[in-house]
Amino acid sequence: MTDFNVFKNEQAVLKHAEDLLAKKTTKQQLESEYGALLASYKKLFKTSRRLLQISDKSEERLKDAHVRIKTQQQQLESAHQQLEMHAESLEDKVRDRTKALVAAQGKLEKLVELGIALSGERNHTRFMEMMMRGAKDLTLADGGLLFTRGDDDKLTVKILGIDSSDLHLGGSTGKVIPIDPLKLHDPVTQRPDYFNVICHAALTERTINVPNLDESKDFDFNWFNLLSDRYEFNPQSCLAVPLRPHKGDVIGVLLLINARHRSSGHTIPFSEEIEEYVEALASQAAVAMDNQLLLRAQDQLLESIIKLVAGAIDEKSPYTGSHCERVPEIGTMLAKAACEQEDGAFSDFDMSDDDWHEFTIAAWLHDCGKVTTPEYVVDKATKLETIYNRIHEIRMRFEVKLRDCTIEYLEDCLSGQHDEHGLKSRLDEQIKQLHSDFAFIAECNLGDDFLNEEKAERLNTIGQMPWMRHFDDTLGLSGEERTRLRRMTKPKLPTKAFLLENKPEHLIVRKNSVPEELYSRLGIKMPTPKYQYNLGELYNLSVSRGTLTEEERYKINEHVIQSIVMLENLPFPKHMSRIPEFAGGHHEAINGNGYPRQLTKRQMSVQARILAIADIFEALTASDRPYKKPKSLNDAIKIMSFMRNDEHIDAELFDLFLTSGIYRTYADRHLAKEQIDEVDISTYLFNPRHEGEPLSA
């Protein structure tokens, strides 16, 4: 380790001096040493003085450095203070900016939620109210009005809401808004009204933001005085936003009034930032609203086409007029009564807006298959009726037969071989019998009374009476008639014919075979007759009840099959997919003996069972059917009670039909006065209600 001693030289000098004194050094030696020592100290003094000067300068420099350091320290402290102040300011700005971003994010989230909700809302009224509430929530507006533009080029107020006045009109409130529509153009000069801020927004397709109505000179705000005077509301700021779908015409205007400060609640102008949000909302709402209007237009078009088809079906037959219109009326009343039940069999039954739309269309289309049913079958009022009443042919044959008898009488008189008096008695008897027989046939033709075996036998006897035909019955026939004429050879004329006949050409073969695969897929179980029609005279006159043959009855009943086939082939959306089932079940019986699917109650929807009752009641009370007399109200209810007892119609629905008074409401609207009699429903109720006792399920 190195020996380090700062006084080493001085110690050496002192030791050298002590050695000199100890050795008795001579004067000369001392002087020499003294001189050397003095020279060293001078040199040391000089060096010390130089060092002192250097030290003084260093001290000054140190003082200057200290001053500079202190100044820099003060500057650093000042800079630090400024940095602290800047940091605090920056923190405040960041905090404010964060709050603004959070608020903006909230508005964006609300805007997105509103957009999603608006796009999913199908009810137009709820849609408009939702849009209005959303816009007011975004802007904290006190008041808001929603205008829609009609085909008449006017802006009509659909929704009005003022929170401070607790005033809400239009929309689902059902309260009328007593404000006249705004005319976008002058009715005389056709000049656009740019002075009204609402019309201006619609005409220019741009947002109008008025911070202070009292100070603005750009518009005429007289219209706003109506709000002030009528609703004690003072408009101070407003924002008019046009509703315009992408690349479309303006379909309305959203007017927001009096933006409020979030904390104080004071009225403030609408900011430019919030204006952008409202425009974004208005854009989304306009697209959704335009889509809704298009859907409504499509629905209206569909309903118009449906009613057009239903009206055409009614017009096709003058004897079933308004049937397709009245059945939906009865069905709607009964369905509404079922929805309103709070206990009993229908306590859980309810229908949404889509369900009502689906049910209404099904009710209007329940008989759409009748377009395939010939009029002469639907309207068949007599047994011999086809396109015309063939009783006239039978009458002409009796006329010919009478003349044949008269000619035979005259010929016998001229021969002189018979007693003329006896011949006259025979002729009178023959004429009397012919009149009696024709009257009997004419009565049978009406189908009012049951045809028993005795009457059927008399028909056959009369039918075998011969008459002579002299003219060729193959002349003047259509191609189809010639095809049906199955004779191998023509009879030699004159030839014997009969008063009533069942001819081979009376049998009309089906042009198209029954689509068994389709019927099987649709669950159709109704048996199909061999022939499409049988026009045989004796065959038709021998119908025991009514006027329809088995083939004609099938053809009429087939309209339900055709309705199902037609409706199943239509591309209904999912929320309307049950229309074929509703419409195709109105001739089913809950015991499974109905047609065409032989469904039971468990297999039928409530809506289908409702339409079955509506269809029967309308048919029983209709006064425009040629084949029956209209039933009185009491008789119709009695017949339906028998059908209820036979499990043809739903017992609970029939009871509801009676207890709700629907039968009487409909009768007062559509039945003749002489049909409306008193009905004691207690005698017809299947499940009379007692206090607290619900209808059986």
Side-chain angles (χ1 to χ4, degrees), residues 2 67 116 243 247 339 365 381 384 411 491 529 594 599 665 689 697:
T2 303
V67 171
I116 295 173
L243 300 175
K247 294 183 180 180
C339 291
L365 290 178
L384 290 173
E411 288 177 345
L599 302 176
T665 302
R689 288 197 182 202

Side-chain angles (χ1 to χ4, degrees), residues 64 89 175 204 222-223 250 285 289 362 383 482 510 627:
D64 292 340
S89 175
K175 299 178 181 178
T204 61
N222 288 331
W223 184 86
V250 171
M289 189 173 177
K383 296 179 180 180
R482 287 196 300 272
R510 295 184 177 279
Y627 41 81

Side-chain angles (χ1 to χ4, degrees), residues 362 563-564 567-568 572 576-585 597:
S563 293
I564 294 173
L567 295 175
E568 287 285 357
F572 287 115
M576 299 169 67
S577 60
R578 296 180 297 173
I579 287 178
E581 189 265 323
F582 293 170
R597 289 169 164 163

